[in-house]
């Protein structure tokens, strides 16, 4: 009976989305076990990490503030460019639209790279509006896709997993292909005919085909191109740009369909009209100071 | 060794059985963090084979199915694949357990090599892991490592079972 049930479950999981809820329920059950499993590693890291001095923290804070300012400036440029692209598209009368995205920052709780699967577990789940099929990126590029969620965590299938397939294009030529994981921290680009022009070092970015991954995000760099006489396609290997094994913080993308909306990131801070001229400054004793009248609170 | 288990029912050590499965799942999860070691066996399967091979009052087939589903979730494989392998191995153990429970721990460990070898063959056929040369050596050395682990494992669980049964 259990044997037949196992076969039925395999068939159901392979051929339909019917078992998604069961997998989420099992993942929720395993969530505390994964957390317990992380504890020895965390204790070891805590014991081996040097205490950062106060001065170093101050310096890092300054550096981060500067970096944030630069990023904000770049963001403004990006918004302007995006609007420009929108206007040009409207002038040309093309129907293609640039999809905007909102980002959600998540921390990696669990990382696994075994011969069966490559995945990470992040600390944002269904309660944070994370849903399956959302794209996950880090500072360098695309790292994977959310495949299942629990209330407080999500599992992300990495682009190096053999079951992962990602529609990409070569940035230099626009040639489209499918990037598949090959299980050893590496990926393989399929269906590139020998008539194509391809070089080692070419950048691969998401093509947006299929509508799951947004277009234009960097994914990998071509590392090896092999041409076999018997095969009409090249055998191409690509190294992922994202720090799949080291990333601690990742971004979950949520696509929006409004092309003229600005990119909304966690860097955005809402400035209310009555706060614009009166920044919130506190004195050493913690009491608020009115910058227009420093002597009066 | 098997004589010690004649008068003990699995109900008397229910909490020990549950706890052993939880600890085995934690150990499997620890092995899964980062790049996993292929020479280590799935601890949940070792525990499953231990309990199904020592008690006659319960078949553990449904437990094998549930633990298999949990393993599928843990390893991110198609649901039912690990369940199928675990159910097959547990069924094989049930056919064999009258002999198995009468063996000494060393004889049991030698039997475990065969069970784990069958597991690896099914694993390779059904789950098709992507293995490089180094991982392939680790993969096929797993049954022997399992036998060594069984020696510690079985003695520890024998001791805990008897102590727990006396207390209950």
């Amino acid at each position: 009976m259990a044997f037949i049930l196992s076969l039925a479950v395999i068939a159901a999981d392979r051929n339909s989305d019917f078992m998604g809820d069961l997998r989420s329920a099992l993942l929720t059950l395993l969530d505390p076990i994964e957390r317990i499993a992380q504890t020895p590693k965390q204790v070891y890291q805590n014991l081996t990490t040097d205490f950062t001095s106060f001065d170093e923290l101050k310096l890092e804070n300054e550096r981060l503030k500067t970096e944030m300012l630069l990023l904000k400036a770049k963001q403004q440029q990006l918004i302007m460019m995006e609007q420009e692209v929108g206007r040009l598209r409207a002038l040309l009368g093309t129907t293609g639209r640039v999809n905007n995205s909102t980002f959600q920052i998540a921390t990696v709780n669990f990382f696994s790279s075994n011969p069966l699967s490559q995945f990470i577990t992040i600390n944002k789940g269904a309660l944070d509006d994370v849903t399956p099929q959302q794209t996950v990126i880090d500072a360098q590029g695309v790292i994977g896709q959310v495949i299942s969620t629990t209330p407080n965590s999500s599992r992300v299938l990495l682009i190096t997993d053999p079951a992962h397939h990602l529609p990409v294009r070569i940035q230099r030529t626009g040639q489209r292909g499918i990037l598949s994981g090959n299980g050893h921290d590496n990926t393989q680009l399929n269906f590139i005919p020998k008539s194509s022009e391809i070089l080692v070092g070419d950048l691969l970015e998401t093509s947006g085909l299929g509508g799951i991954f947004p277009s234009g995000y960097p994914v990998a760099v071509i590392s090896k191109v092999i041409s076999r006489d018997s095969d009409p396609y090249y055998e191409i290997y690509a190294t992922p740009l994202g720090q799949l094994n080291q990333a601690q913080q990742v971004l979950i993308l949520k696509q929006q369909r409004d092309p003229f909306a600005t990119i909304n990131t966690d860097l955005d801070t809402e400035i209310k009209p009555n706060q614009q001229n009166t920044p919130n400054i506190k004195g050493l004793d913690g009491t608020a100071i009115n910058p227009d009248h420093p002597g009066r609170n | 060794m098997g004589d010690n288990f004649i008068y003990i029912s699995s109900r008397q050590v229910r909490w020990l059985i549950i706890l052993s499965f939880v600890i085995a799942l934690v150990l499997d999860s620890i092995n899964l963090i980062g790049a996993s070691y292929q020479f280590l066996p799935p601890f949940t399967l070792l525990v499953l084979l231990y309990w199904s091979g020592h008690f006659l009052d319960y078949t553990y087939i449904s437990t094998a199915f549930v633990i298999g589903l949990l393993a599928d979730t843990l390893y991110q494989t198609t649901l039912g694949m690990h369940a199928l392998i675990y159910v097959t191995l547990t069924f094989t153990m049930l056919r064999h357990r009258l002999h198995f429970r009468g063996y000494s721990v060393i004889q049991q460990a030698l039997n475990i090599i065969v069970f784990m070898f069958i597991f690896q063959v099914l694993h390779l056929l059904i789950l098709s892991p992507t293995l490089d040369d180094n991982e392939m050596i680790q993969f096929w050395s797993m049954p022997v490592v399992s036998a060594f682990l069984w020696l510690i494992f079985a003695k520890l669980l024998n001791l805990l079972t008897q102590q727990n049964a006396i207390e209950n």
Side-chain angles (χ1 to χ4, degrees):
Chain A
M1 183 68 185
F3 193 82
I4 294 163
L5 204 58
S6 302
L7 290 172
V9 170
I10 292 171
D13 198 31
R14 280 254 165 137
N15 303 316
S16 69
D17 297 331
F18 190 62
M19 303 309 276
D21 290 340
L22 176 64
R23 193 181 279 275
S24 291
L26 290 168
L27 207 56
T28 309
L29 204 67
L30 282 174
D31 197 38
I33 284 168
E34 282 188 355
R35 282 171 201 267
I36 294 168
Q38 277 287 96
T39 313
K41 194 186 167 193
Q42 277 171 353
V43 169
Y44 175 76
Q45 277 177 344
N46 290 341
L47 288 173
T48 52
T49 306
D50 292 329
F51 290 102
T52 313
S53 71
F54 182 67
D55 286 343
E56 280 175 2
L57 281 173
K58 268 172 76 177
L59 277 172
E60 193 177 350
N61 193 22
E62 287 299 317
R63 188 181 59 77
L64 289 171
K65 274 182 181 172
T66 315
E67 205 172 295
M68 194 178 79
L69 268 175
L70 286 168
L71 284 172
K72 281 219 157 201
K74 278 187 180 176
Q75 189 199 3
Q76 295 302 317
Q77 283 179 327
L78 188 68
I79 291 164
M80 282 171 66
M81 281 170 69
E82 204 177 1
Q83 286 169 344
E84 189 69 31
V85 168
R87 277 194 291 272
L88 289 169
R89 277 186 191 279
L91 277 172
L92 287 167
T94 53
T95 52
R97 284 183 167 189
V98 178
N99 288 328
N100 292 311
S101 304
T102 52
F103 301 141
Q104 214 174 354
I105 297 174
T107 304
V108 177
N109 281 341
F110 194 93
F111 158 72
S112 179
S113 175
N114 65 80
L116 291 175
S117 58
Q118 276 85 48
F119 64 87
I120 56 171
T121 306
I122 53 175
N123 70 340
K124 292 274 160 63
L127 291 176
D128 305 291
D129 292 332
V130 177
T131 53
Q133 296 195 335
Q134 276 187 258
T135 307
V136 178
I137 64 167
D138 72 354
Q140 276 74 38
V142 174
I143 63 167
Q145 182 186 7
V146 174
I147 44 165
S148 48
T149 57
T150 71
N152 295 310
S153 68
S154 303
R155 196 169 264 195
V156 178
L157 194 69
L158 298 177
I159 56 170
T160 50
D161 188 281
H164 197 280
H165 304 284
L166 169 64
V168 293
R169 64 170 171 247
I170 299 164
Q171 197 187 47
R172 188 172 55 85
T173 62
Q175 172 74 47
R176 286 189 288 268
I178 301 287
L179 190 75
S180 308
N182 68 2
H184 290 108
D185 293 340
N186 216 333
T187 55
Q188 200 166 348
L189 182 62
N190 302 315
F191 311 121
I192 302 292
K194 284 184 176 169
S195 57
S196 311
E197 189 201 337
I198 187 156
L199 297 167
V200 171
D202 274 348
L203 183 72
L204 300 175
E205 61 180 21
T206 48
S207 67
L209 289 177
I212 291 172
F213 289 91
S215 171
Y217 283 93
V219 181
V221 172
I222 303 287
S223 57
K224 199 192 279 181
V225 181
I226 300 167
S227 175
R228 296 190 198 284
D229 292 339
S230 57
D231 199 342
Y233 298 104
Y234 282 122
E235 190 180 321
I236 303 165
Y237 294 93
T239 309
L241 286 167
Q243 302 291 305
L244 306 182
N245 303 350
Q246 288 100 40
Q248 285 297 313
Q249 307 284 329
V250 293
L251 296 172
I252 312 163
L253 302 186
K254 193 168 195 174
Q255 289 193 69
Q256 288 180 327
R257 291 287 165 189
D258 180 8
F260 293 106
T262 56
I263 288 179
N264 180 22
T265 71
D266 282 3
L267 293 173
D268 289 332
T269 47
E270 194 184 346
I271 301 169
K272 290 175 183 170
N274 61 349
Q275 289 178 338
Q276 279 180 349
N277 298 323
T278 54
N280 184 17
I281 304 168
K282 284 184 178 176
L284 289 172
D285 58 351
T287 54
I289 294 170
N290 185 344
D292 297 330
H293 304 283
R296 287 180 285 170
N297 291 337
Chain B
M1 195 280 308
D3 296 341
N4 297 327
F5 279 78
I6 286 175
Y7 302 108
I8 302 172
S9 78
S10 50
R11 278 177 186 273
Q12 284 175 273
V13 288
R14 189 193 301 152
W15 288 108
L16 180 65
I17 293 170
I18 294 168
L19 186 70
S20 65
F21 277 119
V22 171
I23 292 170
L25 275 168
V26 171
L27 290 174
D28 282 346
S29 300
I30 290 173
N31 188 31
L32 208 60
I33 298 170
S36 60
Y37 299 109
Q38 293 308 304
F39 59 82
L40 288 176
F43 291 96
T44 40
L45 182 61
L46 275 187
V47 171
L48 190 64
L49 290 176
Y50 179 86
W51 293 121
S52 58
H54 283 82
F55 288 112
L56 300 175
D57 58 342
Y58 193 62
T59 63
Y60 289 94
I61 287 282
S62 51
T63 311
F65 179 70
V66 173
I67 293 290
L69 286 182
L70 285 172
D72 282 318
T73 313
L74 195 67
Y75 294 100
Q76 197 58 47
T77 49
T78 306
L79 280 181
M81 284 187 160
H82 272 94
L84 185 68
I85 300 174
Y86 281 24
V87 166
T88 308
L89 285 172
T90 308
F91 181 74
T92 314
M93 175 57 91
L94 292 180
R95 303 286 295 171
H96 186 61
R97 69 176 165 184
L98 282 174
H99 297 291
F100 187 83
R101 69 201 296 267
Y103 292 158
S104 70
V105 175
I106 294 171
Q107 283 174 309
Q108 285 180 356
L110 292 172
N111 272 264
I112 285 299
I113 293 180
V114 180
F115 274 98
M116 287 301 175
F117 182 76
I118 297 168
F119 172 77
Q120 291 298 69
V121 171
L122 292 173
H123 193 208
L124 205 63
L125 291 174
I126 298 175
L127 298 164
S128 310
T130 50
L131 299 163
D132 59 24
D133 292 344
N134 182 35
E135 284 172 337
M136 192 63 93
I137 295 165
Q138 287 189 31
F139 185 82
W140 290 115
S141 62
M142 187 276 262
V144 180
V145 176
S146 304
F148 283 109
L149 284 172
W150 183 268
L151 297 175
I152 306 161
F153 218 58
K155 285 199 171 176
L156 185 71
L157 283 176
N158 284 345
L159 192 75
L160 288 171
T161 306
Q162 282 156 23
Q163 276 184 357
N164 221 284
I166 291 164
E167 283 169 19
N168 292 320

